[in-house]
PDB file of all heavy atoms in Angstrom:
ATOM      1  N   LYS A 914      99.906 130.874  88.014  1.00  0.00           N
ATOM      2  CA  LYS A 914      99.251 131.444  86.960  1.00  0.00           C
ATOM      3  C   LYS A 914     100.226 131.854  85.780  1.00  0.00           C
ATOM      4  O   LYS A 914     101.453 131.921  86.076  1.00  0.00           O
ATOM      5  CB  LYS A 914      98.537 132.769  87.457  1.00  0.00           C
ATOM      6  CG  LYS A 914      97.395 132.649  88.388  1.00  0.00           C
ATOM      7  CD  LYS A 914      96.644 133.883  88.681  1.00  0.00           C
ATOM      8  CE  LYS A 914      95.924 134.434  87.418  1.00  0.00           C
ATOM      9  NZ  LYS A 914      94.852 133.522  87.095  1.00  0.00           N
ATOM     10  N   LEU A 915      99.697 131.959  84.715  1.00  0.00           N
ATOM     11  CA  LEU A 915     100.484 132.330  83.496  1.00  0.00           C
ATOM     12  C   LEU A 915     100.780 133.789  83.406  1.00  0.00           C
ATOM     13  O   LEU A 915      99.796 134.667  83.829  1.00  0.00           O
ATOM     14  CB  LEU A 915      99.945 131.779  82.248  1.00  0.00           C
ATOM     15  CG  LEU A 915      99.920 130.238  82.092  1.00  0.00           C
ATOM     16  CD1 LEU A 915      99.615 129.885  80.648  1.00  0.00           C
ATOM     17  CD2 LEU A 915     101.177 129.563  82.508  1.00  0.00           C
ATOM     18  N   HIS A 916     101.866 134.159  83.004  1.00  0.00           N
ATOM     19  CA  HIS A 916     102.221 135.646  82.759  1.00  0.00           C
ATOM     20  C   HIS A 916     103.037 135.869  81.563  1.00  0.00           C
ATOM     21  O   HIS A 916     103.869 134.926  81.136  1.00  0.00           O
ATOM     22  CB  HIS A 916     102.954 136.174  84.033  1.00  0.00           C
ATOM     23  CG  HIS A 916     102.858 137.711  84.131  1.00  0.00           C
ATOM     24  ND1 HIS A 916     103.720 138.505  83.460  1.00  0.00           N
ATOM     25  CD2 HIS A 916     101.953 138.434  84.798  1.00  0.00           C
ATOM     26  CE1 HIS A 916     103.378 139.795  83.651  1.00  0.00           C
ATOM     27  NE2 HIS A 916     102.373 139.756  84.587  1.00  0.00           N
ATOM     28  N   SER A 917     102.931 136.959  80.835  1.00  0.00           N
ATOM     29  CA  SER A 917     103.658 137.209  79.550  1.00  0.00           C
ATOM     30  C   SER A 917     105.217 137.546  79.810  1.00  0.00           C
ATOM     31  O   SER A 917     105.981 137.359  78.835  1.00  0.00           O
ATOM     32  CB  SER A 917     103.019 138.327  78.900  1.00  0.00           C
ATOM     33  OG  SER A 917     103.082 139.527  79.632  1.00  0.00           O
ATOM     34  N   GLN A 918     105.521 137.712  81.125  1.00  0.00           N
ATOM     35  CA  GLN A 918     106.867 138.149  81.380  1.00  0.00           C
ATOM     36  C   GLN A 918     107.337 137.322  82.631  1.00  0.00           C
ATOM     37  O   GLN A 918     106.499 137.012  83.483  1.00  0.00           O
ATOM     38  CB  GLN A 918     107.055 139.547  81.577  1.00  0.00           C
ATOM     39  CG  GLN A 918     106.866 140.418  80.290  1.00  0.00           C
ATOM     40  CD  GLN A 918     107.009 141.908  80.656  1.00  0.00           C
ATOM     41  OE1 GLN A 918     107.249 142.287  81.767  1.00  0.00           O
ATOM     42  NE2 GLN A 918     106.972 142.700  79.547  1.00  0.00           N
ATOM     43  N   GLY A 919     108.627 137.001  82.654  1.00  0.00           N
ATOM     44  CA  GLY A 919     109.070 136.413  83.895  1.00  0.00           C
ATOM     45  C   GLY A 919     110.388 135.608  83.670  1.00  0.00           C
ATOM     46  O   GLY A 919     111.098 135.936  82.712  1.00  0.00           O
ATOM     47  N   HIS A 920     110.769 134.820  84.588  1.00  0.00           N
ATOM     48  CA  HIS A 920     112.025 134.183  84.562  1.00  0.00           C
ATOM     49  C   HIS A 920     111.956 132.547  84.378  1.00  0.00           C
ATOM     50  O   HIS A 920     113.000 131.930  84.100  1.00  0.00           O
ATOM     51  CB  HIS A 920     112.936 134.529  85.735  1.00  0.00           C
ATOM     52  CG  HIS A 920     113.152 135.952  85.791  1.00  0.00           C
ATOM     53  ND1 HIS A 920     114.098 136.655  85.012  1.00  0.00           N
ATOM     54  CD2 HIS A 920     112.655 136.952  86.615  1.00  0.00           C
ATOM     55  CE1 HIS A 920     114.155 137.884  85.309  1.00  0.00           C
ATOM     56  NE2 HIS A 920     113.264 138.084  86.365  1.00  0.00           N
ATOM     57  N   ILE A 921     110.811 132.002  84.790  1.00  0.00           N
ATOM     58  CA  ILE A 921     110.639 130.615  84.815  1.00  0.00           C
ATOM     59  C   ILE A 921     109.623 130.196  83.719  1.00  0.00           C
ATOM     60  O   ILE A 921     108.487 130.589  83.735  1.00  0.00           O
ATOM     61  CB  ILE A 921     110.063 130.086  86.173  1.00  0.00           C
ATOM     62  CG1 ILE A 921     111.057 130.587  87.306  1.00  0.00           C
ATOM     63  CG2 ILE A 921     109.952 128.604  86.200  1.00  0.00           C
ATOM     64  CD1 ILE A 921     110.494 130.280  88.725  1.00  0.00           C
ATOM     65  N   SER A 922     110.091 129.487  82.683  1.00  0.00           N
ATOM     66  CA  SER A 922     109.300 128.975  81.612  1.00  0.00           C
ATOM     67  C   SER A 922     108.115 128.156  82.094  1.00  0.00           C
ATOM     68  O   SER A 922     108.371 127.125  82.809  1.00  0.00           O
ATOM     69  CB  SER A 922     110.106 128.274  80.602  1.00  0.00           C
ATOM     70  OG  SER A 922     109.380 127.508  79.715  1.00  0.00           O
ATOM     71  N   ALA A 923     106.934 128.496  81.634  1.00  0.00           N
ATOM     72  CA  ALA A 923     105.787 127.690  82.107  1.00  0.00           C
ATOM     73  C   ALA A 923     105.862 126.222  81.563  1.00  0.00           C
ATOM     74  O   ALA A 923     105.659 125.302  82.322  1.00  0.00           O
ATOM     75  CB  ALA A 923     104.441 128.363  81.653  1.00  0.00           C
ATOM     76  N   ALA A 924     106.273 126.034  80.348  1.00  0.00           N
ATOM     77  CA  ALA A 924     106.342 124.838  79.701  1.00  0.00           C
ATOM     78  C   ALA A 924     107.377 123.932  80.309  1.00  0.00           C
ATOM     79  O   ALA A 924     107.127 122.750  80.611  1.00  0.00           O
ATOM     80  CB  ALA A 924     106.563 124.950  78.229  1.00  0.00           C
ATOM     81  N   LYS A 925     108.546 124.481  80.749  1.00  0.00           N
ATOM     82  CA  LYS A 925     109.618 123.794  81.250  1.00  0.00           C
ATOM     83  C   LYS A 925     109.225 123.334  82.784  1.00  0.00           C
ATOM     84  O   LYS A 925     109.406 122.193  83.256  1.00  0.00           O
ATOM     85  CB  LYS A 925     110.925 124.501  81.321  1.00  0.00           C
ATOM     86  CG  LYS A 925     112.101 123.895  82.040  1.00  0.00           C
ATOM     87  CD  LYS A 925     113.325 124.660  82.039  1.00  0.00           C
ATOM     88  CE  LYS A 925     114.462 124.012  82.788  1.00  0.00           C
ATOM     89  NZ  LYS A 925     115.771 124.838  82.783  1.00  0.00           N
ATOM     90  N   PHE A 926     108.587 124.295  83.441  1.00  0.00           N
ATOM     91  CA  PHE A 926     108.231 124.012  84.834  1.00  0.00           C
ATOM     92  C   PHE A 926     107.207 122.916  84.985  1.00  0.00           C
ATOM     93  O   PHE A 926     107.299 122.002  85.674  1.00  0.00           O
ATOM     94  CB  PHE A 926     107.740 125.270  85.463  1.00  0.00           C
ATOM     95  CG  PHE A 926     107.431 125.197  86.981  1.00  0.00           C
ATOM     96  CD1 PHE A 926     108.444 125.158  87.782  1.00  0.00           C
ATOM     97  CD2 PHE A 926     106.138 125.046  87.403  1.00  0.00           C
ATOM     98  CE1 PHE A 926     108.116 125.163  89.267  1.00  0.00           C
ATOM     99  CE2 PHE A 926     105.807 124.900  88.718  1.00  0.00           C
ATOM    100  CZ  PHE A 926     106.925 124.922  89.661  1.00  0.00           C
ATOM    101  N   ILE A 927     106.134 123.068  84.104  1.00  0.00           N
ATOM    102  CA  ILE A 927     104.970 122.165  84.309  1.00  0.00           C
ATOM    103  C   ILE A 927     105.248 120.766  83.620  1.00  0.00           C
ATOM    104  O   ILE A 927     104.673 119.784  83.946  1.00  0.00           O
ATOM    105  CB  ILE A 927     103.715 122.821  83.669  1.00  0.00           C
ATOM    106  CG1 ILE A 927     103.347 124.022  84.684  1.00  0.00           C
ATOM    107  CG2 ILE A 927     102.589 121.900  83.647  1.00  0.00           C
ATOM    108  CD1 ILE A 927     102.224 124.754  84.158  1.00  0.00           C
ATOM    109  N   ASN A 928     106.190 120.810  82.736  1.00  0.00           N
ATOM    110  CA  ASN A 928     106.534 119.430  82.070  1.00  0.00           C
ATOM    111  C   ASN A 928     107.795 118.798  82.739  1.00  0.00           C
ATOM    112  O   ASN A 928     108.374 117.938  82.153  1.00  0.00           O
ATOM    113  CB  ASN A 928     106.793 119.635  80.579  1.00  0.00           C
ATOM    114  CG  ASN A 928     105.507 120.093  79.937  1.00  0.00           C
ATOM    115  OD1 ASN A 928     104.393 119.498  80.215  1.00  0.00           O
ATOM    116  ND2 ASN A 928     105.631 120.988  78.990  1.00  0.00           N
TER     117      ASN A 928
END
Side-chain angles (χ1 to χ4, degrees):
K914 291 187 69 65
L915 295 190
H916 199 275
S917 59
Q918 297 179 350
H920 301 285
I921 303 175
S922 164
K925 180 180 178 181
F926 184 79
I927 292 175
N928 293 320

